[in-house]
Amino acid sequence: MFHQLLTPVGDSLMLSFLVAILPIATVLVLLGIFRRPAWQAALAGLVVGLIIAVAVWGLPAQIALAAASNGAVFALWPVMWIVINALFVYNIAVSSGRFDAFRAWIVKHLPNDRRVVLIVIAFCFGALLEGVAGFGTPVAITSSLLIMCGFPALEAIVFVLIFNTTPVAFGALGTPVTVLAQVTGLPAPALAAMIGRQLPIMAAILPFYVMALYGGWRSIRSLWPVLAVAGLSFGLAQFGASNYLDYTLTDVFAALASLAVTLLFLQVWRPASSPEFVIAASSAEKQSPITHDVPAWQGWMPWLILTATVIIWTFFKVAAMGQHAIPWPNLDKAVAITLYKDKPYAAVWTFQPLASGTAILISAFITALLVRLPIAELGRCAARTIRQIWQAVVTVMFIVALAYVMNYSGLAYTLGLAVSSTGHWFVLFSPFLGWIAVFLSGSDTSGNALFGNLQVVAARQLNLNPLLFAATNSSGGVLGKMISPQNIATGVSVTNLKGQEGAVLARTFIHSIILTLVLVVIVIVQQYVVPGIIPHFVAK
């Protein structure tokens, strides 16, 4: 059994930290500075990670390659299986005219103002897609809608990525919280309640923040009522569901509440018209491959079918039927986690033929059947999906392979130990642990599995509240999602920005840092100023 090394570079934690962070720095520099395509940056990061893991951390090459292959396969199934089928639904909606109908519904029922559309589609509707699918799917679909409404592609993706943060901790029907509870030993309802006392604050801020970027302070003065309604309705519903209802349905409930309340509010209040933000008729020039006369309300059909199918699938636990737990050869329990008292590191890939991606595939077929899409056109939709998504699939396989190599070699634990060893400065760095983990894996679930328990251990050593910092790992992680190569690559897959992921990262990186610093302030206030906000039954 390989025992992870934590300080292999000169027996110095600081020097080891600087070397361990090189794979992450490689990805960031190639993407953000040299503007290389995401798959190339991810591949380079993987190569650097493998070299450091084997040559410096002493991980046997056989185990390193096994870790990389395990990560790549996990990225393909179940992660990208979800994304592939969600984009299949998107292409069916486009080909059947339902995507154009959705745009027509927007134009008919919302004020003719791109700023309002940005809030309703990118924030409210995007949160709903995150709740049922996630993994970059909301970015691809909602950015396409914004582009159809006249947004430049780069602006659309950047704004959607910023919005695709606060729903993530409860995405995929609460999976990140469930995993966080498993690795920390803390009660899932208490963790959900604590996260639900952090992210609603961010949710209330986000509409104002993004509007300041898009329309400036003049737009905030003009639109503040709808910004407040959208942000507060989502935040209050997220707080209520996570604290008093069922946290697994938090995102779906909050997104539906925000969408409904915002749409109803816009029936009684409308902003003053601004020619600068009018949706031009020319923005509808890109029509579906087949000409259709489709009622506008049917634009909702694919997304309602998708939502209902996934909720039913999850409620009846269909995904668990026929699943197989496969211990990964040369990796399962071949590594001892030194930081966790030499706990054997399991490596079990759970293959679920009926995973959530399969539910989305079924919703695609139901949609195709109801809209009477010809079989030949359905085949063309499938081919178009593969052409759009293959680069994103390769990117995600490389980046998750890197995450697994860093995990099993001990590089990730060296990073975590260095951050947790900063004494009471740990309060400042804690959110960035989750941020780094989600940047690497693209998943708040994986970020919680990696650093969730480390946050608890460090908090207890420093006499801080462990529940608060376990929750902060998840909340900080969601703010790293806007710079995750996985999320960016999936988002650009249906636009003309494929291969230009670096330009997107360069735009989102600063906002990711700023919003994470806002979370730092929230955490400091909750720990030191209003500790009563932390659920009392687990607080120290």
Side-chain angles (χ1 to χ4, degrees), residues 493-514:
S493 64
V494 296
T495 72
N496 59 4
L497 292 175
K498 275 192 286 189
Q500 301 179 49
E501 295 88 354
V504 179
L505 175 67
R507 288 280 299 274
T508 58
F509 188 82
I510 184 62
H511 303 301
S512 180
I513 296 293
I514 291 171

Side-chain angles (χ1 to χ4, degrees), residues 53-209:
V54 174
V56 183
W57 262 252
L59 182 70
Q62 187 179 31
I63 296 179
L65 293 175
S69 63
N70 190 7
V73 171
F74 174 77
L76 186 61
W77 194 292
V79 174
M80 294 309 289
W81 180 236
I82 291 174
V83 177
I84 291 168
N85 289 308
L87 287 185
F88 188 35
V89 173
Y90 160 79
N91 280 308
I92 289 172
V94 171
S95 292
S96 65
R98 268 62 189 181
F99 209 69
D100 289 331
F102 199 10
R103 179 197 179 280
W105 188 94
I106 291 169
V107 172
K108 181 178 179 181
H109 291 88
L110 296 182
N112 190 357
D113 191 316
R114 289 195 305 276
R115 298 170 298 180
V116 174
V117 171
L118 176 63
I119 299 301
V120 173
I121 297 303
F123 182 64
C124 303
F125 181 59
L128 178 61
L129 292 177
E130 177 63 36
V132 298
F135 297 109
T137 300
V139 182
I141 293 173
T142 55
S143 63
S144 295
L145 270 170
L146 294 181
I147 291 167
M148 288 182 68
C149 291
F151 284 80
L154 183 58
E155 277 193 356
I157 289 178
V158 167
F159 295 148
V160 169
L161 282 167
I162 296 173
F163 276 137
N164 186 227
T165 48
T166 51
V168 171
F170 297 100
L173 299 171
T175 302
V177 178
T178 302
V179 169
L180 184 60
Q182 290 170 349
V183 300
T184 61
L186 297 173
L191 287 167
M194 189 64 249
I195 296 169
R197 300 177 192 193
Q198 293 177 325
L199 291 182
I201 301 171
M202 303 297 295
I205 293 171
L206 275 184
F208 291 90
Y209 186 89

